[in-house]
Amino acid sequence: MTYEHFKREGWLYALAFILAVGLRFIQLGAMPLTDIEAAPALQALQIAQGLKPALSPYPFYILSTSVLFFLYGSGTDFLARFIPALTGSLLVFAPLILKRIKPRPSLFLAFFIAIDPGLISLSRQAASPILAITFLLFAWGFFDQNKPRLAGFFAALALLGGPSIWTGLLGIGITWALTQGIKIRRPQSTSDLEVADTHQLSTFNFRLSTISLVVTFIIAGTLFFITPNGLSAALASIPTFINSWLIPSDVSAGRVFLSLLVYQPLAFLLALFAIIRGWVKGSSRIIPLSLWFLVALLLAVFLPSRQVADLAWALIPLCALAALELVRNVFVFPDERAEIAGVVFLTAFVWVFAWLDFSGMIWIPTDSREYIVRFWLLIGALLLLVFSLLLIAAGWSIRTARIGGVWGLALALGVLGFGGALGSAGLRGLANPELWWSPSIPMQADLLQKTVNDMSEWSMGDDNAAPVIIAGVNSPALEWTLREHHVVIAESLDISSSPDFVITPLQDDPTLSASYRGQDFTWRQTPNWNATLPQDWVRWVALREMPQSGETIILWVREDLFLGTAVSP
């Protein structure tokens, strides 16, 4: 079944794309690369330099980024994240090519994707699951449109996108099995859709799609046969995915659920309304989407090596459900605008009051009487909103209460969610940690790099001439920070070699202290998510403040390299 597109649809998609580009590219290189990001970025840089490193199971990211590094001449933090940011921005067009969703819900879904905090954060991370998500949805969309060559092309790119593709395919496979086992009540009007689906499966040319998939997989996976081990890296994603079920994680299931409520409050509530309505009415679209969301959520929670980023596969059906619910409340008749506007104002006012009351609780001791009063005031405000909407539904109409309540909810929680999007993008700085960020961010990477460059310039006349030995510090991010220098990795330091620059963990080394001058730097800093009290979480939700623990490293510079230091004959 095809749907009629509406006026200015293309311009609105362009607006969604511009919004997505802005949130994904602004200050893209401001946050230093973490160890997880730096490892594949270093491999891309080595390929650009003509080397043949062993590759991580992210061949598409590594090979495509190596082309950027080769064209630019060297790697930068911005270029290291360029491919994921561009791919994440293009994700807003996925709803446009999915024929199973009507044009207006598709447009709403595009805007949900553009401003979703989780998808924004993943788009700003090197070698993230956003590549597999985007390419798989594009492959699905072109399959819907009966375009086998494009479907096979994007399916191959999805297989090259990293181990996350197997989590996504597992979730979709389980969802398909559940939908086959559940008898969904379909209205008579959708019988033509079932016929269309059957006809689509019979006319889709699997031979063409398979040829396209194999050719793309080989060419893109080897960078036009320049890097053959890209294929083995793609196949290595399978054992990597299997190992993810064997390695425990320090991320609790509660933290995954909390991130869903904090970052997607509007989408979560709208999706909840849609799920209830869809199961009551037996909707042929909402039930599969709700099953997909539930399966993806449970996989993210029960995966032993779980990370918050694993929740990404659940965000697509969550946003789709929210879009389907929100679009039901778009059309307002002229004679009901005043009443609905009043309900919108009331709903938004109560939500803002509840948020201000919640924010004020962080300044009050939890065992005080005032804290208990504020807590019950918060509960009372939410109950007041529910009873007010019930009275409006009884006094005016259910439609007025529903539309006004939904748009008031969208206004208040939409602002809160957009704030979360700015935070996930790192636009509020590194001092305000977010759950979607990669762990262990190098806090003083820029300062360390500048210090090494300055000392090299002063002592040798070239800011990149001095070699650096990294002894006892296992950090790909540190290697990436000093990538313009000749870096040697050693488990321990041979002091008889008298290297110019040495980087070690924080330690009292009498040998180094005698002939070197040292400067400490705060390196990997991690929020204490697992060692917090409930009051700490309240403070984080309101202010994004969380106690953090840091790792300190020392840059040692041989004493005779300093200006004005006499050199022994």
Side-chain angles (χ1 to χ4, degrees), residues 1-3 100 184-200 282-285:
M1 175 182 292
T2 58
Y3 297 106
R100 297 172 185 268
I184 302 177
R185 300 190 302 273
R186 300 176 184 268
Q188 189 66 29
S189 60
T190 62
S191 59
D192 57 340
L193 180 61
E194 295 176 356
V195 174
D197 288 344
T198 305
H199 177 69
Q200 175 180 307
S283 172
S284 60
R285 287 186 176 85

Side-chain angles (χ1 to χ4, degrees), residues 374-394:
R374 280 185 172 271
F375 174 79
W376 285 110
L377 187 62
L378 174 64
I379 301 299
L382 298 178
L383 291 176
L384 175 63
L385 176 60
V386 173
F387 287 130
S388 299
L389 293 177
L390 290 176
L391 291 175
I392 291 171

Side-chain angles (χ1 to χ4, degrees), residues 205-218:
N205 195 323
F206 288 98
R207 182 172 177 271
L208 284 177
S209 65
T210 302
I211 294 174
S212 175
L213 186 151
V214 172
V215 172
T216 304
F217 187 81
I218 294 175

